[in-house]
Amino acid sequence: MPYEAWKDNEYIESLVKELQENGTNVIVGSFDKLINWGRSNSIWPLTFATSCCGIEFVSLGAARYDMARFGWEVARSSPRQADFMMVAGTIVHRMAPVMRRLYDQLAEPKYVIACGGCAISGGPFRKSYHVVKGIDEIVPVDVYLPGCPPRPEAMIYSIMQLSRKMKVEKFFGGVNRQEKIKDFLAAHPEESYD
Amino acid sequence: MANIQEKIAKLCQEATFEEGQDLLVCVPDSKWHALAKSLKEELHFDFLVTIVGMDWTDKLGCIYYLKSTADNAMISVKVTTEDRENPMIHSVHDVWAIATTFEREVYDFFGIIFVNNPDMRRMFLSIDWKGYPLRKDYDDSPEINPVPKENERQEDTTVSYVETEDGKIEKKTINVFEPNDFVVNIGPQHPATHGVLRFRTAVDGETIKKIDFYSGYIHRGIEKICEGLTYPQTLHFMDRMDYFSGHHYHHAMCMVYEKALGIEISRRAQVIRVLMDELARIASHCLFLGTYCMDLGATTMLFYTLRVREQILDIMEKTCGARMTFNYGCIGGVMQDLHEDFVSDVKELLAVLPKNIKEYNELFIGNVIAKGRLENVGTLTREDAISYAVTGPSGRASGWACDVRKTNPYSIYGELDFEEVVYTEGDSMARTKLRIAEMEQSARIIEQLIDNIPEGEYCVKVPKVVKLPAGRWFQMVEGCRGAFGVYVESTGGTSPLRLKLVPPCLPLANVVDHLTRGTKIADLITIGGSLDYIVPDIDR
Amino acid sequence: MYEITFATITNWIDTFLGKYMPEWLVTTVECLLIGVGLLLVYALLALFYIYFERKVCAAFQCRLGPNRVGPWGLLQSFADMFKMLIKELITLKHIDRFLFALAPYLVIIASMLSFACLPWANGLQIIDFNIGIFFLIAVSSIGVLGILLAGWSSNNKFTLIGALRSGAQMVSYELSIGLSVLTMVAFAGTMSITGIVEEQKDLWFIFSGHVPAIIAFVIYLVAGTAETNRGPFDLPEAESELTAGYHTEYSGIHFGFFYLAEYLNLFIVSGVATLLFFGGWMPLHIPGWEGFNAVMDYIPSVVWFIGKAIALSFIIIWFKWTFPRLRIDQLLKLEWKYLLPINLVNLVLMVIIIVFNLHF
């Protein structure tokens, strides 16, 4: 896709500017480029779907939309091996801890796409007593993808956006969130695993 | 109907009757269990369609919808209790097997305890949920039930309230699994459960001993939300339950409202609705076949079946404007007129369909490994199918002719020429083959109609503000996965007092435990897949 | 007959090094060179296979497959590898850390050792001695140990079931592989890998061995597919049953090792089939057609070997994308009730053919 065709260039540019201001080492910088090339071109999804959006995700994998063209078809069932989680469908109270756990199980660097109205805000079910009003209450979200359900084309666009984000991120020190893991372990002492 | 009324009056003197769409029998709780037994055994009401939990503010209660498989007669029974603190009704789980689950659902939403039911746990909501959401006095402020941050509390025991000889009610605790069982947790995030269903599976090596099924991981409380919406607003939720049967569910809902309002819709609208229903049925069965084969490891099938589905979605998109959530039916007809390409597109589809079906048969049904995996796996007998209320293709594969289009014809189905496919084997293979055969029958219906779409208005005039008269209505249609029902009770206002949706997938998921005992873990996938439940439909 | 051999190149390197270094250093340097070369070829081939499978599978499914990263998507698996290298290695609590970390290395070492046995081209073979085929079978079965360890040490019920399935499956099918290899060894009269290839210089065994060779080939192909845990025998990692089977808990490059080894095992199985039935690196020779044979000799032997192996892998990939998965009891029934007895009878049949000299 040509650069002008994107709708959010301002955001990406501000991200790049911020990174450049921090300054970077030449060697580390070129390493970063190579790694980011790999990361942004190999985005494996976690097979995770709760409702309608999941079916459009199946269509995305099928012959007409064929996400394999971009190398996204290696959908892993185990969160340890996936790169991003497309939260396709409504998240309800009972599912919320499960989803949080899945997010924690993803290996760093990890990303989340909130797919569809329900995941963004609760969608048509916002009034319900049992629906989470937006998954950003539970996990950090990288890309919001509106629609009910979003068309497969929109899903392709959203993953391409994610890929753009990966490309301009700094791998060394940036996305590699080891510090956060330490925080997480401090917050979840050992007994909670049993 | 009068005949049945006399018979019931003879069986139970205390019964009073209310006339309505169906006969409504009111019985006191103390006589209910005995009446239920004789209703099933003497009058052959062997199919428990649903249990509608009700809260009339002054009293709580249940309306049982019963259907006879012999003559398709339908009655409803009302049992009430005035105790709001500790409401109790006697269980009928020993009469109809499905009642165990239906009663659990009512308990979850209304807090009505069913005496003698062996499993009185919460079903859709978590163990620590406070309050019963479908009661009118439920407080839904988020402070009482916040979004949980920690993992859900898990208990290996269930509760049962047993009536002793002298009429006292005792609370008993029952272990779900045996002490030394190796319990594998399958789901809620698992590729084989088709969504977020959870099976706690006790296994012995690779052999399954027992399955305890948990749902509610996508329970969105549609029934409760609908109580606060106007009637036309409630329609759009129908696309988001069983997202493949959106058209059918809309059809059911529209019919029930039209019946209540006394609106006669044009023939054109009826034909369009039937056409859309059958197209959706083909698309749904295609996706079933694809995902089922993928579960069994034959991934390639998915791509061949989705090809046809995409073609149907194109047709739908041109007319309805969406790929999945169509919101096409409305009170009085349909939203828009058919697209000008509709007829030619459908004819194109009909031309390629037989070729595709032949390919599916060759690639999968005829495959020796598929035969070994499917034949004689998960055999469901006709009696069990009725008792567990397994309708739709899964019920028909067991020899139970339960197609609502034939048993209680609605819309224009009565005048159409098509067969109700019924197999008697009852195994996974029969369920799979039956769906393929149904695709052919749906194509046959479309063929009959596609050249005879009558002229006329696609939507008749309805009042701007829809107000249903006071009363109750029930309507069933044949969805892609079984009989779907809508129950509406109105007090005369613009929004329903109670809107109960009867999903076909809840009994389907419920029967998995019965079918998988003694089979291998891999058979769980075969059986679960062949039943083809949609989880958001179970949970609503 | 085969003028260009790799011995020319290797001899030149040896003499070149010998001029400047003492003998022990020469050996060390050569070993290192071979090791690096082996690793490089291993990695490149695995990456190629990942791409190849994705493309073939896409073709079966009326799709395009990877085509955005690099020309025709050729760089797709490189991108995947870079990504996998930098992914976080998750260490779990309540696991046997040593065994958990050891398992992927065991798997990859097993596949690398058997990789080294393959007859790449005329004179290009790393491990070659008189019981070479024996060694090959021995090292290839170390892999199952890695899988069992991975499943057990992860402390997860899915991985445990996956590992136990895998153990039962691989141990059973090892028998079939062993017996069909034995059939061919009896026919060749030698266990040395170069010896077996040399024996086929007039005609490949699949043609000269009559019916028993064909039976042995079919059984080998079935058992080989089972050995590599590929569909329709992919029970240990049956995605729809056990999420990701024995490697559910592995992340980053540890998972990458399993992933690479899986694809490379596919190559090894087809390579061994090539060696036993299709003449290894030997060009297609038909007795009597001297002109034809001479033309065939012009194609380099390494192309013959890799070409044949890829063609066989294509068949195995074809299986995977066509058939549904078997159930564990059906899988074991197939081995113990059908393949094993047929194999034993086949061995006897082969011996009869050899004794009465009925082969070509």
Side-chain angles (χ1 to χ4, degrees):
Chain A
M1 236 165 111
Y3 187 74
E4 299 77 41
W6 295 94
K7 294 267 191 274
D8 65 333
N9 288 329
E10 280 170 29
Y11 169 72
I12 291 281
E13 269 157 23
S14 73
L15 206 66
V16 173
K17 209 171 145 202
E18 190 185 311
L19 287 171
Q20 279 167 348
E21 271 169 9
N22 291 339
T24 178
N25 185 309
V26 179
I27 301 167
V28 172
S30 42
F31 247 137
D32 247 1
K33 264 192 189 149
L34 183 68
I35 284 169
N36 281 342
W37 170 81
R39 281 184 337 119
S40 60
N41 280 315
S42 159
I43 314 177
W44 293 358
L46 170 73
T47 34
F48 176 72
T50 59
S51 51
C52 333
C53 299
I55 305 303
E56 288 296 68
F57 193 67
V58 173
S59 299
L60 178 62
R64 177 176 295 181
Y65 298 101
D66 191 20
M67 60 177 171
R69 290 176 294 152
F70 304 86
W72 304 331
E73 90 277 34
V74 199
R76 305 302 310 177
S77 312
S78 166
R80 310 262 182 227
Q81 298 148 10
D83 297 311
F84 79 99
M85 181 160 114
M86 194 163 211
V87 183
T90 324
I91 297 300
V92 300
H93 282 225
R94 201 172 192 182
M95 193 66 195
V98 181
M99 193 191 78
R100 175 71 216 187
R101 191 149 139 193
L102 278 170
Y103 176 76
D104 289 338
Q105 282 174 341
L106 283 169
E108 295 276 1
K110 56 191 170 189
Y111 300 89
V112 175
I113 295 181
C115 172
C118 298
I120 295 174
S121 68
F125 307 103
R126 197 175 163 80
K127 272 188 181 170
S128 168
Y129 53 88
H130 200 239
V131 169
V132 176
K133 289 157 192 69
I135 57 160
D136 41 12
E137 286 181 18
I138 313 165
V139 295
V141 177
D142 292 278
V143 179
Y144 291 90
L145 168 59
C148 189
R151 297 178 56 93
E153 291 96 328
M155 290 187 173
I156 293 180
Y157 185 79
S158 77
I159 307 179
M160 281 165 91
Q161 288 283 23
L162 184 63
S163 165
R164 263 156 59 92
K165 184 172 180 182
M166 286 180 178
K167 224 171 242 168
V168 299
E169 262 178 342
K170 238 188 341 183
F171 178 70
F172 290 105
V175 278
N176 204 357
R177 290 169 261 192
Q178 285 290 338
E179 287 302 312
K180 283 193 184 167
I181 298 169
K182 269 180 209 152
D183 292 345
F184 173 79
L185 288 178
H188 293 76
E190 188 131 355
E191 56 272 14
S192 67
Y193 278 87
D194 293 322
Chain B
M1 213 41 95
N3 191 14
I4 296 174
Q5 188 170 339
E6 277 165 29
K7 280 182 189 165
I8 295 173
K10 223 179 276 169
L11 285 169
C12 177
Q13 272 82 28
E14 287 88 347
T16 52
F17 298 92
E18 278 177 37
E19 276 304 324
Q21 188 201 341
D22 303 301
L23 182 69
L24 182 75
V25 188
C26 305
V27 280
D29 174 42
S30 52
K31 302 283 175 234
W32 164 229
H33 187 264
L35 178 67
K37 259 208 158 106
S38 34
L39 274 178
K40 186 186 176 186
E41 278 154 21
E42 287 163 39
L43 298 178
H44 303 290
F45 284 101
D46 44 3
F47 170 29
L48 175 62
V49 178
T50 188
I51 303 177
V52 185
M54 287 295 302
D55 180 5
W56 290 280
T57 335
D58 53 333
K59 58 191 174 187
L60 292 166
C62 294
I63 297 177
Y64 296 74
Y65 269 88
L66 303 172
K67 200 171 162 182
S68 153
T69 53
D71 56 4
N72 298 320
M74 208 155 168
I75 57 163
S76 43
V77 181
K78 186 158 118 181
V79 186
T80 56
T81 165
E82 276 170 22
D83 186 358
R84 286 188 79 85
E85 286 304 306
N86 223 350
M88 285 196 185
I89 290 179
H90 279 81
S91 164
V92 286
H93 76 277
D94 46 347
V95 185
W96 299 282
I98 186 66
T100 319
T101 309
F102 283 164
E103 285 170 358
R104 234 180 111 187
E105 183 193 323
V106 174
Y107 168 70
D108 200 7
F109 290 152
F110 292 93
I112 301 175
I113 289 163
F114 288 86
V115 180
N116 293 336
N117 187 315
D119 193 2
M120 274 284 110
R121 275 177 297 173
R122 300 218 75 144
M123 188 168 171
F124 296 115
L125 304 169
S126 61
I127 262 183
D128 296 321
W129 192 268
K130 293 180 197 75
Y132 301 101
L134 259 70
R135 283 199 189 183
K136 293 290 174 196
D137 54 0
Y138 174 71
D139 182 3
D140 65 350
S141 57
E143 290 78 37
I144 297 176
N145 288 303
V147 179
K149 297 270 185 265
E150 291 304 316
N151 291 333
E152 193 183 325
R153 196 161 63 83
Q154 176 85 57
E155 265 181 11
D156 280 339
T157 53
T158 176
V159 183
S160 176
Y161 297 85
V162 187
E163 190 174 29
T164 50
E165 294 281 322
D166 51 353
K168 272 189 194 155
I169 311 278
E170 266 179 20
K171 188 175 173 181
K172 268 201 336 198
T173 313
I174 304 167
N175 284 329
V176 180
F177 299 107
E178 284 165 37
N180 287 325
D181 279 347
F182 184 77
V183 181
V184 181
N185 186 44
I186 298 181
Q189 154 60 14
H190 189 275
T193 52
H194 286 223
V196 279
L197 198 59
R198 176 166 167 223
F199 294 120
R200 291 187 75 211
T201 315
V203 292
D204 178 13
E206 285 256 350
T207 312
I208 295 172
K209 282 166 79 179
K210 186 185 178 178
I211 287 182
D212 190 26
F213 116 86
Y214 287 72
S215 60
Y217 291 92
I218 184 73
H219 171 63
R220 304 182 278 201
I222 293 179
E223 289 173 11
K224 181 74 176 181
I225 307 175
C226 285
E227 286 173 14
L229 296 178
T230 63
Y231 290 105
Q233 282 176 328
T234 57
L235 277 169
H236 78 277
F237 288 119
M238 297 303 106
D239 283 320
R240 290 166 177 83
M241 289 171 52
D242 176 353
Y243 25 77
F244 304 114
S245 308
H247 283 304
H248 307 86
Y249 286 21
H250 265 280
H251 200 159
M253 198 88 150
C254 293
M255 275 199 294
V256 88
Y257 290 157
E258 282 153 12
K259 204 172 349 181
L261 292 166
I263 295 173
E264 195 68 36
I265 67 163
S266 69
R267 181 159 170 99
R268 183 179 175 82
Q270 280 182 334
V271 171
I272 294 176
R273 279 184 186 174
V274 168
L275 274 171
M276 285 299 178
D277 281 6
E278 296 309 317
L279 280 174
R281 198 183 307 279
I282 297 176
S284 162
H285 286 345
C286 272
L287 195 95
F288 154 76
L289 201 60
T291 46
Y292 187 40
C293 296
M294 191 167 73
D295 284 349
L296 293 175
T299 322
T300 305
M301 249 319 247
L302 177 70
F303 296 85
Y304 294 170
T305 55
L306 278 183
R307 206 161 46 186
V308 172
R309 185 177 131 84
E310 286 288 339
Q311 203 176 343
I312 296 174
L313 290 191
D314 277 353
I315 298 173
M316 301 252 184
E317 198 185 347
K318 274 186 184 168
T319 296
C320 315
R323 279 167 55 86
M324 277 190 70
T325 41
F326 310 109
N327 200 18
Y328 188 52
C330 65
I331 303 174
V334 291
M335 280 276 181
Q336 305 96 359
D337 208 351
L338 289 176
H339 190 266
E340 51 191 18
D341 296 345
F342 183 80
V343 176
S344 58
D345 285 350
V346 169
K347 281 187 176 159
E348 245 170 68
L349 171 80
L350 289 177
V352 296
L353 196 63
K355 224 169 57 192
N356 275 292
I357 290 177
K358 191 164 164 259
E359 190 177 9
Y360 304 155
N361 276 321
E362 279 170 7
L363 187 62
F364 186 71
I365 304 295
N367 187 307
V368 60
I369 300 178
K371 277 186 182 160
R373 284 295 303 273
L374 299 184
E375 274 171 6
N376 297 322
V377 171
T379 310
L380 183 67
T381 61
R382 184 173 184 272
E383 287 67 41
D384 282 345
I386 296 171
S387 185
Y388 280 97
V390 176
T391 54
S394 308
R396 291 195 281 282
S398 300
W400 177 23
C402 55
D403 194 331
V404 184
R405 293 174 296 174
K406 285 283 186 194
T407 57
N408 306 62
Y410 54 94
S411 192
I412 53 166
Y413 278 112
E415 28 186 296
L416 293 172
D417 172 35
F418 68 101
E419 271 167 44
E420 179 180 7
V421 192
V422 177
Y423 289 156
T424 49
E425 294 91 336
D427 57 358
S428 304
M429 185 54 124
R431 289 191 278 272
T432 314
K433 283 202 305 212
L434 191 125
R435 285 190 170 84
I436 297 183
E438 275 200 356
M439 277 157 73
E440 285 166 350
Q441 292 303 323
S442 290
R444 204 167 131 192
I445 295 175
I446 296 168
E447 258 167 26
Q448 289 168 40
L449 291 176
I450 193 67
D451 286 325
N452 306 313
I453 304 175
E455 291 299 320
E457 48 184 357
Y458 58 87
C459 188
V460 298
K461 279 229 153 53
V462 285
K464 281 242 164 60
V465 180
V466 180
K467 274 188 183 170
L468 257 60
R472 54 192 164 70
W473 293 270
F474 187 71
Q475 175 66 46
M476 279 170 92
V477 297
E478 183 67 23
C480 301
R481 277 151 196 81
F484 170 72
V486 185
Y487 171 88
V488 183
E489 182 157 343
S490 162
T491 49
T494 49
S495 47
L497 172 76
R498 172 91 168 97
L499 185 83
K500 160 81 182 169
L501 306 164
V502 186
C505 295
L506 177 61
L508 291 178
N510 179 58
V511 83
V512 169
D513 174 38
H514 172 71
L515 288 182
T516 46
R517 294 217 176 172
T519 57
K520 301 273 180 290
I521 294 179
D523 289 334
L524 168 63
I525 280 78
T526 316
I527 293 167
S530 72
L531 291 167
D532 190 24
Y533 41 75
I534 297 292
V535 185
D537 189 42
I538 301 171
D539 289 358
R540 281 156 287 150
Chain C
M1 202 167 152
Y2 7 87
E3 298 81 14
I4 320 146
T5 63
F6 277 85
T8 345
I9 306 167
T10 45
N11 282 339
W12 180 79
I13 293 176
D14 186 54
T15 35
F16 177 77
L17 290 176
K19 273 187 214 161
Y20 304 99
M21 293 172 189
E23 200 177 327
W24 62 270
L25 196 59
V26 171
T27 321
T28 320
V29 168
E30 279 170 5
C31 281
L32 271 177
L33 276 179
I34 290 168
V36 170
L38 189 71
L39 277 177
L40 219 73
V41 176
Y42 186 93
L44 283 178
L45 208 63
L47 291 181
F48 166 75
Y49 254 70
I50 293 172
Y51 171 76
F52 177 63
E53 156 127 47
R54 282 164 86 167
K55 274 293 195 191
V56 170
C57 141
F60 280 130
Q61 299 173 346
C62 341
R63 299 187 284 123
L64 290 171
N67 70 351
R68 293 290 169 118
V69 189
W72 306 292
L74 271 170
L75 297 179
Q76 182 63 56
S77 31
F78 287 90
D80 285 345
M81 191 191 66
F82 275 121
K83 198 252 342 240
M84 216 125 67
L85 277 170
I86 56 105
K87 271 297 242 192
E88 179 194 10
L89 284 177
I90 297 177
T91 38
L92 305 169
K93 295 183 173 177
H94 311 301
I95 55 164
D96 191 324
R97 272 171 209 219
F98 174 68
L99 293 183
F100 185 73
L102 179 69
Y105 292 96
L106 270 183
V107 169
I108 203 132
I109 284 172
S111 95
M112 234 174 245
L113 276 174
S114 21
F115 186 68
C117 295
L118 296 176
W120 284 93
N122 194 359
L124 183 67
Q125 193 183 346
I126 297 154
I127 303 175
D128 182 24
F129 53 107
N130 57 350
I131 51 162
I133 199 91
F134 211 63
F135 177 76
L136 184 80
I137 291 177
V139 289
S140 67
S141 31
I142 298 176
V144 67
L145 210 65
I147 289 176
L148 277 173
L149 281 184
W152 183 80
S153 65
S154 301
N155 192 18
N156 175 322
K157 286 170 184 169
F158 283 131
T159 59
L160 184 63
I161 296 175
L164 289 178
R165 279 183 178 186
S166 172
Q169 176 180 335
M170 289 175 109
V171 169
S172 314
Y173 279 85
E174 205 100 293
L175 273 175
S176 273
I177 293 221
L179 276 172
S180 54
V181 168
L182 197 62
T183 316
M184 296 323 288
V185 165
F187 188 58
T190 169
M191 268 190 169
S192 142
I193 288 170
T194 29
I196 293 174
V197 177
E198 286 295 328
E199 284 288 319
Q200 308 185 54
K201 70 169 177 284
D202 293 329
L203 199 58
W204 295 348
F205 279 167
I206 189 92
F207 303 123
S208 63
H210 264 321
V211 183
I214 292 169
I215 295 176
F217 172 62
V218 171
I219 290 176
Y220 180 85
L221 209 59
V222 173
T225 316
E227 271 286 292
T228 46
N229 289 337
R230 292 184 60 84
F233 305 101
D234 56 347
L235 286 97
E237 44 196 292
E239 215 162 73
S240 51
E241 293 160 33
L242 305 172
T243 52
Y246 57 86
H247 58 60
T248 304
E249 296 287 1
Y250 283 90
S251 66
I253 195 63
H254 281 172
F255 161 66
F257 282 161
F258 285 114
Y259 197 59
L260 289 188
E262 186 193 322
Y263 283 96
L264 234 283
N265 283 341
L266 173 61
F267 179 78
I268 291 164
V269 162
S270 15
V272 175
T274 311
L275 158 73
L276 289 173
F277 304 97
F278 294 93
W281 50 262
M282 196 63 77
L284 179 61
H285 286 166
I286 294 169
W289 295 12
E290 293 309 324
F292 176 79
N293 292 351
V295 172
M296 288 289 124
D297 282 343
Y298 275 108
I299 302 173
S301 50
V302 66
V303 173
W304 273 109
F305 179 75
I306 294 182
K308 279 186 269 191
I310 288 178
L312 284 176
S313 313
F314 177 78
I315 297 177
I316 297 180
I317 292 175
W318 194 350
F319 284 169
K320 169 159 180 171
W321 296 109
T322 311
F323 292 132
R325 187 180 300 123
L326 285 162
R327 204 170 53 207
I328 184 80
D329 55 324
Q330 293 168 342
L331 179 97
L332 295 179
K333 205 195 272 174
L334 174 72
E335 163 65 21
W336 292 96
K337 286 199 175 160
Y338 301 102
L339 293 188
L340 191 65
I342 294 174
N343 228 333
L344 288 168
V345 173
N346 192 38
L347 183 59
V348 175
L349 195 67
M350 182 56 107
V351 172
I352 293 171
I353 285 195
I354 299 165
V355 170
F356 293 97
N357 213 5
L358 293 170
H359 55 86
F360 294 115

